[in-house]
Amino acid sequence: MTESGTHPAPTLNTGSHDLAVSPELSRFMAASWAPSALPDSARVPAHAVTPARRARLSARFPGERLIVPAGELTVRSNDCDHRFRPHSAYAWLTGLTGEDQAGSVLVMEPSGPHGHEAVLHLRPRSPRADGDEEFYRDRRYGEFWVGRRPDLAEAERLTGIRCAPLEPLEPLGSPPGRNAATDAELAAALSELRLVKDAWEVGQLQLAVDHTTAGFEDVVRALPRALAHPRGERWIEGTFGLRARAEGNGTGYETIAASGAHACVLHWIRNDGRLNPDEFLLLDAGVETDSLYTADITRTLPLSGRFSPVQRQVYELVLAAQDAGIAALRPGARFRDFHRAAMRVIAEGLADWGVLKDAEGDLHRRYTLCGSGHMLGLDVHDCAKARAGTYLDGVLEEGQVLTVEPGLYLQPDDETLPAELRGIGVRIEDDLVITPQGARLMSGALPRTVAGVEEWMGALLDDRS
């Protein structure tokens, strides 16, 4: 959408080398196509839960026009676009998650004294008559190029939302309303409404976690081949990516496959390094389901299959910090409490090692660098536009899903460290849902203890057949 809320007139995205279409070919292409409607029973998976979500949004902005775009295609190179993923707020409100949603817009039109009517403005399926050439000539939107879109009637059945063609949305004289792409208050509200997950969302997140667990198992089985490859990190990334695409929409974020000192770079995604059996592999990866909910799990694995004494020393301090963070999770606790609990353990451990003089102050942050977790959902760092008072400075509530992920990043050139510690990076990250009693570990199928990791890796490497 443009600033005014209108959409530019559609153009036919034909290739620069396309031949002109003769009148005879145009008539031939328009005729003799069999019906191919979607089944009347087809619904988006979230069909039953999206009305309540829209009602909650409506209650926050009575009488105001609300505009929630799916987003637009973005060019990767020349005439190739990046793979499209709808904006998370749009997906949450409509249940539509496909690549065919590029350019679509949900409009909440004021209706009555307090409510809204939802209207989806979509690019409908390309017609195959009346000389329309889009379905076979348009390389960006044509059905024969990128796949079928639903027609408007089908889209209404899929979503339960009234649908209209994608066209200028604001008749002359109508108010522009709030646009989630530009209005900070609406963007914040959409984040805050997603802080507490409904039961369907928790189920989707558990599915993402389960697929991610399978992906980590794939990686361990692939270690012998990865260790033999000059860019073993890429082999790891590709192995996990295969599971993510086979089971879901793909990865929820760029996979971090960091060996050795690369693990000290928090967002290492080059993944071009060789694996050394004497070092760690830090794997931070998550499968995104077809409904776009993602897991976010990190394991730091000894590439030999067994922890060396110094690897065990660093790993067990991070594990103790994670245990302390998890123990702090419960409804009513401050969101920041679990980070503080984890960092207290880290600071005390660094003092015990003689790296710090004592555990007071914030000097431990030289070796930890960032926070110890975040909300999780449709975005890997979910609900990020929520106001601080309702998120970072807020309290935990039953149904929230979050990660706990303390880490130690001991840089290879850090002269405050003894030589044997330099170049070691360890992060342990798990996904949890807040329950009435505390928190449930959703990713508990992946072992966390030293003994558990060694046993798990050994069994998988012995069972590669």
Side-chain angles (χ1 to χ4, degrees), residues 141-357:
Y141 301 110
E143 183 173 330
F144 287 7
W145 288 92
V146 297
R148 187 196 194 288
R149 299 188 300 270
D151 63 32
L152 294 181
E154 290 169 338
E156 289 190 359
R157 289 198 302 271
L158 285 168
T159 63
I161 304 173
R162 183 165 74 85
C163 296
L166 191 61
E167 58 186 5
L169 299 180
E170 296 177 8
L172 185 64
S174 68
R178 295 180 181 268
N179 189 324
T182 56
D183 186 280
E185 187 175 354
L186 177 55
L190 286 164
S191 276
E192 291 165 6
L193 289 170
R194 289 167 35 219
L195 279 167
V196 175
K197 273 53 180 180
D198 57 40
W200 186 86
E201 291 179 290
V202 173
Q204 289 298 300
L205 284 163
Q206 186 63 64
L207 181 63
V209 167
D210 294 344
H211 290 324
T212 301
T213 297
F216 274 69
E217 292 171 350
D218 295 340
V219 163
V220 173
R221 292 189 186 98
L223 281 179
R225 295 192 69 179
L227 282 159
H229 196 278
R231 291 203 289 184
E233 291 176 345
R234 291 272 171 98
W235 198 276
I236 296 301
E237 178 187 356
T239 298
F240 186 85
L242 173 59
R243 175 67 67 171
R245 283 295 283 168
E247 304 290 0
N249 188 54
T251 55
Y253 52 96
E254 293 292 331
T255 296
I256 298 168
S259 64
H262 290 166
C264 299
V265 180
L266 271 72
H267 288 171
W268 176 262
I269 59 172
R270 295 181 205 169
N271 300 341
D272 59 358
R274 181 183 287 277
L275 305 185
N276 183 331
D278 296 329
E279 295 178 331
F280 272 138
L281 169 71
L282 188 156
L283 177 62
D284 186 335
V287 173
E288 179 181 85
T289 64
D290 291 332
S291 60
L292 305 186
Y293 289 84
T294 187
D296 182 7
I297 298 174
T298 306
R299 288 293 182 268
T300 306
L301 308 175
L303 284 165
S304 68
R306 308 287 295 182
F307 287 81
S308 70
V310 71
Q311 287 175 338
R312 178 189 290 264
Q313 174 188 348
V314 179
Y315 187 92
E316 288 193 330
L317 178 55
V318 176
L319 179 62
Q322 192 196 33
D323 285 340
I326 290 172
L329 298 177
R330 63 184 181 278
R334 309 297 302 184
F335 174 80
R336 297 186 190 271
D337 286 352
F338 74 89
H339 170 67
R340 294 189 177 106
M343 291 302 99
R344 184 68 188 177
V345 172
I346 292 286
E348 290 174 352
L350 291 170
D352 290 343
W353 293 353
V355 171
L356 295 178
K357 291 182 179 179

Side-chain angles (χ1 to χ4, degrees), residues 112-124:
H114 303 293
H116 289 80
E117 181 193 17
V119 183
L120 267 171
H121 294 258
L122 307 169
R123 181 178 285 104

Side-chain angles (χ1 to χ4, degrees), residues 8-226:
T11 58
L12 197 64
N13 295 281
T14 57
S16 59
H17 301 290
D18 281 0
L19 297 173
V21 172
S22 67
E24 292 78 13
L25 177 58
S26 181
R27 289 192 295 271
F28 186 57
M29 291 298 295
S32 302
W33 298 107
S36 57
L38 296 180
D40 288 347
S41 59
R43 300 289 186 276
V44 295
H47 180 270
V49 294
T50 54
R53 298 172 182 175
R54 296 191 296 273
R56 291 169 61 200
L57 178 62
S58 176
R60 291 283 288 264
F61 296 95
E64 296 192 66
R65 192 175 196 239
L66 309 176
I67 301 168
V68 184
E72 300 286 352
L73 291 169
T74 302
V75 173
R76 183 185 185 277
S77 63
N78 189 29
D79 58 350
C80 296
D81 292 317
H82 285 283
R83 188 182 297 276
F84 180 77
R85 180 194 187 278
H87 190 280
S88 294
Y90 175 90
W92 187 72
L93 291 167
T94 67
L96 293 167
T97 60
E99 296 177 20
D100 60 352
Q101 293 304 302
S104 300
V105 184
L106 174 70
V107 180
M108 303 280 285
E109 299 284 4
S111 176
H114 303 293
H116 289 80
E117 181 193 17
V119 183
L120 267 171
H121 294 258
L122 307 169
R123 181 178 285 104
R125 186 183 186 189
S126 311
R128 299 193 185 181
D130 302 324
D132 193 301
E133 298 178 353
E134 182 192 89
F135 73 98
Y136 69 96
R137 294 204 71 201
D138 192 315
R139 294 168 179 255
R140 207 173 200 192
Y141 301 110
E143 183 173 330
F144 287 7
W145 288 92
V146 297
R148 187 196 194 288
R149 299 188 300 270
D151 63 32
L152 294 181
E154 290 169 338
E156 289 190 359
R157 289 198 302 271
L158 285 168
T159 63
I161 304 173
R162 183 165 74 85
C163 296
L166 191 61
E167 58 186 5
L169 299 180
E170 296 177 8
L172 185 64
S174 68
R178 295 180 181 268
N179 189 324
T182 56
D183 186 280
E185 187 175 354
L186 177 55
L190 286 164
S191 276
E192 291 165 6
L193 289 170
R194 289 167 35 219
L195 279 167
V196 175
K197 273 53 180 180
D198 57 40
W200 186 86
E201 291 179 290
V202 173
Q204 289 298 300
L205 284 163
Q206 186 63 64
L207 181 63
V209 167
D210 294 344
H211 290 324
T212 301
T213 297
F216 274 69
E217 292 171 350
D218 295 340
V219 163
V220 173
R221 292 189 186 98
L223 281 179
R225 295 192 69 179

